[in-house]
Amino acid sequence: MAEDSKGKLPEAVLVGVIGGSGLYHLDNLTFIKHVNPETPWGFPSSPISIFALPSGTQVAFLARHGVGHTINPSAVPARANIAALKSLGVRAVLAFSAVGSLREEIRPGDFVLPTQIIDRTKGVRPASFFEGTSVVAHASFGDPFSTRFVRWLEQRVASVLVAHAGSSSAALHTDKCVVCMEGPQFSTRAESKMYRAWGGDIINMSVLPEAKLAREAELGYALIATATDYDSWRENEDAVTSADVFKVLQTNAALSRTVAATILDELHDAAQEGGILTEQVGSMQYSIMPRSEKQKDEDRQKLAYILPTYFSQEQ
């Protein structure tokens, strides 16, 4: 477990929240301290805030794009982010992201819990902890989100949105497919229409490699996406701009903070019990190629930071 800036070991936290565009902090929680673990893949996007819920339960919050939103989506140090959360004892990662809608029924302001991903990144983002090492692993990624975790979220997120129906008309959409594109530019109209033809429902620039890395680290991972715009596929309408996005972003972020504050206590208990995370525990055991004399000790030591079960010194 990583030390904080004063050299003290933080208490283990089981739930980590990754905030996307517009979601830079959590509400109604008591700030305890910042920790900034240096991982074998560098420092995370921002110092990680440790908060206490009213019950005393601690959660970790990390701003994906850095303090003040200074990191381009393609440059997010995703390996350091996931490794840092794992080092604090996190078992479940609840990620938030602003997305564009590729479907008429997913309106700006709506919430989406995707279950599939189409990868349209371009290979410029390090997508594996094993990249550049002498150890090879092929993680299963057919279901890129933690299915039990996502199902657990569905009713709870829906309940929060219903409870705030008077101040928001946000609806929840489930079992959707998110396209992850490179950016930083938005889609062309032709690309936007192509993604719709492929079966994409929403689009963002952040879910990968985050989800892949969480899988390699054996962490439960789910994404709560909030639609800000209709991307560029609609005929006879202007293409999406940052100004369009920001019109909806703040409202979405406020409701996202309410969702988080409402469910985090229960999520901590669920993570502690472990039932929603059983898909991840031990999932890398048969993904790592057998050890050989060609594997370097320094690479195994590096990987032990996220997977100590498989890369301890005794093995």
Side-chain angles (χ1 to χ4, degrees), residues 22-27 250 252-262:
L23 185 61
Y24 307 118
H25 66 277
L26 298 177
D27 286 343
Q250 297 306 314
N252 285 359
L255 192 50
S256 293
R257 287 193 292 270
T258 300
V259 169
T262 304

Side-chain angles (χ1 to χ4, degrees), residues 113 149-159 172 174-175:
L113 287 172
F149 186 5
V150 173
R151 298 302 177 213
W152 183 94
L153 284 169
E154 287 175 357
Q155 181 180 353
R156 290 160 178 83
V157 174
S159 296
L172 176 66
T174 59
D175 292 307

Side-chain angles (χ1 to χ4, degrees), residues 147-314:
T147 303
R148 292 186 179 91
F149 186 5
V150 173
R151 298 302 177 213
W152 183 94
L153 284 169
E154 287 175 357
Q155 181 180 353
R156 290 160 178 83
V157 174
S159 296
V160 175
L161 298 184
V162 169
H164 290 78
S167 57
S168 169
S169 60
L172 176 66
H173 304 269
T174 59
D175 292 307
K176 300 302 181 183
C177 178
V178 54
V179 178
C180 187
M181 64 176 289
E182 193 60 65
Q185 298 82 6
F186 293 121
S187 307
T188 67
R189 293 189 188 277
E191 288 170 333
S192 193
K193 292 175 182 178
M194 179 180 69
Y195 300 147
R196 281 166 49 81
W198 284 359
D201 299 299
I202 54 177
I203 184 167
N204 83 346
M205 302 178 189
S206 300
V207 71
L208 294 177
E210 201 170 85
K212 290 182 177 180
L213 296 166
R215 180 61 50 86
E216 287 188 345
E218 295 191 342
L219 298 178
Y221 180 88
L223 178 72
I224 296 180
T226 54
T228 57
D229 58 85
Y230 275 115
D231 205 49
S232 299
W233 58 271
R234 278 177 147 192
E235 298 289 351
N236 303 317
E237 286 194 9
D238 292 337
V240 61
T241 68
S242 292
D244 297 327
V245 171
F246 284 118
K247 289 178 184 177
V248 184
L249 201 59
Q250 297 306 314
T251 299
N252 285 359
L255 192 50
S256 293
R257 287 193 292 270
T258 300
V259 169
T262 304
I263 68 174
L264 283 177
D265 243 328
E266 195 175 357
L267 178 55
H268 173 273
D269 292 344
Q272 189 169 50
E273 187 275 330
I276 66 171
L277 307 176
T278 53
E279 301 154 285
Q280 283 66 60
V281 177
S283 64
M284 290 297 292
Q285 181 177 359
Y286 301 108
S287 298
I288 302 168
M289 300 304 288
R291 183 173 183 175
S292 75
E293 69 274 8
K294 298 296 184 181
Q295 291 183 1
K296 299 177 182 178
D297 288 341
E298 59 264 34
D299 291 338
R300 294 182 61 84
Q301 182 178 357
K302 182 179 184 180
L303 292 166
Y305 191 89
I306 56 158
L307 293 170
T309 301
Y310 312 121
F311 294 104
S312 65
Q313 293 181 351
E314 292 75 21

Side-chain angles (χ1 to χ4, degrees), residues 14 16-18 82 85 90-95 149 210 214 219-222:
L14 302 184
V17 178
I18 298 179
I82 295 297
L85 291 173
V90 166
R91 298 178 187 174
V93 176
L94 181 61
F149 186 5
E210 201 170 85
L219 298 178
Y221 180 88

Side-chain angles (χ1 to χ4, degrees), residues 89-103:
V90 166
R91 298 178 187 174
V93 176
L94 181 61
F96 288 84
S97 175
V99 299
S101 171
L102 298 171
R103 302 293 166 187

